[in-house]
Amino acid sequence: MATNIMLVVTDQLTWRALPCYGNTFVKTPNIDRIAKDSVRFTNCYTPCPLCQPARAAFWSGRYPHETNVLSNGRKWPVAPVPEEFETLGETFAKAGYKTVHFGKCHDAGALRGFECSPEEEIPVDDVSPAFPYNFDTYEDRDTTEKTVEFLKHYSSQQPFLMVCDLVNPHNICGWVGENQGSHEDVPTGKELPPLPENFEFDDITNRPIAVQYICCSHNRQAQTEYWTKTNYQHYLAAYYHYLEVVDKEIGKVLDALEKSPYADNTMIVFLADHGDSMAARGRVTKQVDFYEEVTRVPLIFSGKGIHGEGEIHDIVSLLDLYPTLCGYAGIDIPKGLRGMDLSMGLKGREIPKRDYVASQWHTEWGYTVSPGRMICNGRLKYMYYIEDQGEELYDLEKDPYEKVNQARNPEYSKDLEEMRTLFRKYLEETHDNFLSLEWYADKKWRSHEAGYHNHRGIAAPQEG
């Protein structure tokens, strides 16, 4: 009998937040259950640090510039993923799988082939004044209940590919809005987490203009005006809280799977669409930049047929999800997918080596447009932005927190040229017309002294 596959997807979860990747502050016993006896990829990158472009990309196996899903909508409308791109759901449905999806979509049509349950909300009553809930948390409760019901009542011999698509810890975005500007935080009743090693940020003028002015393009960053260090510690405490909330929902799903007839014949895949800044460089949520906190995500495989080495440190991409699931299930991989089949790594063998992984940015809502690209070869990470031809270069072995941009450092001239060459190779291989793209930002969104702490007032999306 073919093995069932259950994908557990979270939103806005960086790998650095999880105990199974080394975090010692937060508690996630249920994600730890998945991570036990698993294969964990420690260097997995998203194709875009933004919800809709990332999801359209990994469900279709194509980069955002190919799907043309470049934003979350509003002033930059998004058309459905082209019909000629066969999606993951279509491939598995054609192969005889029951393909079902519960929870967050935001996929621009890339979930074609899945039976998608309506996104609904169920309010929860265990609310702390320090950690207000919104539709993100309410939708997760509904997603969990629907997933559990499916596992309880599914009785067909047809194998399933099921997605439990959860939103948290994304509720942190709403928390920022509830705590904008100068404020006194509601006591959490718990020890506050320490700020990250790269919270202090004195390299801002050495970054591309689009990065210097994220506070003007992103309303959540603008809402941190006048925040203190303690406010940022409360931000981290809230982020960990929403992570622990979603961990409890995941626990309910795992319990239902263990009680079902499918417990011994299901592979579980855990991932996130993108990360969160987690107060690094005084940043909240995600927008424009490609730093490790927002582009590097968890990717964990456990359950039926997983006999790997525990951790695989090679660079991989969420674009690898689609071909890897095909390889695991013995399904022919559609032509044109950008990712690699990593399924041999799930069985203890070496995975294919690659020269780079890439990530893209265009715009969040269209109020400002800041085309950018990121290329990482494992040791070096290179970013380029159209607006000012701004470049960033980081030596991740010596500077894992990306504290100092080395693009202008003569000592890194050879490394810079190496990454420029690799960038050109990426553009050619993927037919990315990036260099012909145009940027847009009204002059007022570039007018104050560089640095988030210098921002005053609203950001472009708030003006409308």
Side-chain angles (χ1 to χ4, degrees), residues 26-43:
V26 72
K27 305 296 182 185
T28 58
N30 297 298
I31 297 173
D32 292 349
R33 288 164 65 184
I34 299 175
K36 183 180 180 182
D37 300 322
S38 72
V39 169
R40 297 185 301 282
F41 290 89
T42 62
N43 288 284

Side-chain angles (χ1 to χ4, degrees), residues 201-415:
F201 184 38
D202 60 2
D203 196 46
I204 186 65
T205 57
N206 193 30
R207 309 291 166 114
I209 290 175
V211 176
Q212 293 182 26
Y213 289 96
I214 289 174
C215 48
C216 291
S217 64
H218 186 36
N219 64 321
R220 297 304 182 192
Q221 191 63 43
Q223 289 169 343
T224 67
E225 178 185 356
Y226 297 119
W227 273 21
T228 65
K229 286 186 177 181
T230 302
N231 294 149
Y232 279 98
Q233 284 184 281
H234 278 266
Y235 173 86
L236 267 184
Y239 183 73
Y240 289 150
H241 175 81
Y242 298 125
L243 173 53
E244 291 177 347
V245 167
V246 79
D247 184 77
K248 292 177 182 177
E249 300 295 339
I250 292 169
K252 297 173 186 176
V253 172
L254 296 180
D255 289 346
L257 177 63
E258 290 178 0
K259 294 175 183 177
S260 77
Y262 314 109
D264 297 327
N265 192 42
T266 300
M267 179 178 72
I268 304 171
V269 187
F270 179 81
L271 65 142
D273 56 356
H274 57 76
D276 182 278
S277 295
M278 290 181 61
R281 302 165 206 85
R283 285 274 287 111
V284 296
T285 72
K286 78 287 176 188
Q287 218 235 25
V288 175
D289 69 50
F290 296 103
Y291 301 128
E292 293 286 273
E293 293 83 7
V294 299
T295 56
R296 195 165 157 191
V297 295
L299 180 62
I300 305 172
F301 295 79
S302 70
K304 177 73 172 181
I306 306 302
H307 307 290
E309 298 297 323
E311 290 189 342
I312 295 178
H313 302 296
D314 301 65
I315 51 172
V316 301
S317 169
L318 286 182
L319 293 179
D320 300 332
L321 177 68
Y322 188 165
T324 298
L325 294 181
C326 289
Y328 172 85
I331 297 172
D332 290 340
I333 300 172
K335 294 181 179 180
L337 300 189
R338 290 299 181 183
M340 289 184 172
D341 177 7
L342 309 177
S343 61
M344 61 286 295
L346 310 182
K347 300 175 183 178
R349 302 198 299 271
E350 287 191 5
I351 64 173
K353 303 298 180 184
R354 54 166 26 110
D355 294 334
Y356 61 82
V357 290
S359 190
Q360 306 181 356
W361 181 268
H362 197 80
T363 183
E364 183 180 19
W365 301 111
Y367 299 97
T368 61
V369 180
S370 302
R373 296 292 185 266
M374 180 276 283
I375 300 292
C376 179
N377 69 1
R379 181 179 78 86
L380 298 170
K381 191 172 177 186
Y382 173 81
M383 289 89 113
Y384 184 95
Y385 291 87
I386 291 292
E387 180 173 350
D388 59 343
Q389 300 179 17
E391 294 179 295
E392 293 179 85
L393 179 71
Y394 301 96
D395 185 333
L396 295 179
E397 291 182 357
K398 296 180 179 179
D399 183 18
Y401 287 94
E402 298 161 302
K403 294 181 179 180
V404 180
N405 176 16
Q406 304 290 359
R408 299 175 184 173
N409 184 347
E411 294 181 9
Y412 278 84
S413 58
K414 289 184 179 179
D415 289 326

